[in-house]
């Protein structure tokens, strides 16, 4: 029983982490698109992500280069 519970807990932790990553990816994509469309500034978007404007610009450029 303990082994089954441990495996189930690991699975649930993985699912939760996956959801968190998915939400973050969606938020980042939205900030890139809002910035590209001129709705928000790079400074605002970078602040929301707690990163520098330079990092935001680099990451945004890489995102749209896909």
């Amino acid at each position: 029983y303990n082994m089954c519970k441990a495996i189930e807990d690991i699975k649930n932790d993985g699912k939760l982490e996956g959801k968190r990553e998915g939400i973050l990816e969606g938020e980042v994509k939205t900030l890139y698109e809002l910035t590209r469309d001129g709705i928000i500034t790079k400074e605002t978007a970078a602040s929301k992500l707690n990163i520098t404007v330079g990092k935001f610009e680099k990451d945004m450029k890489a995102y749209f280069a896909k």
Side-chain angles (χ1 to χ4, degrees), residues 32 42-43 45-57 59:
Y32 291 157
K42 293 174 190 174
E43 292 79 12
S47 174
K48 296 281 185 192
L49 295 172
N50 294 316
I51 60 175
T52 66
V53 173
K55 174 143 177 53
F56 180 81
E57 290 172 332
D59 293 349

Side-chain angles (χ1 to χ4, degrees), residues 8 24 35 51 56 60:
E8 193 63 34
L24 179 59
T35 301
I51 60 175
F56 180 81
M60 184 174 157

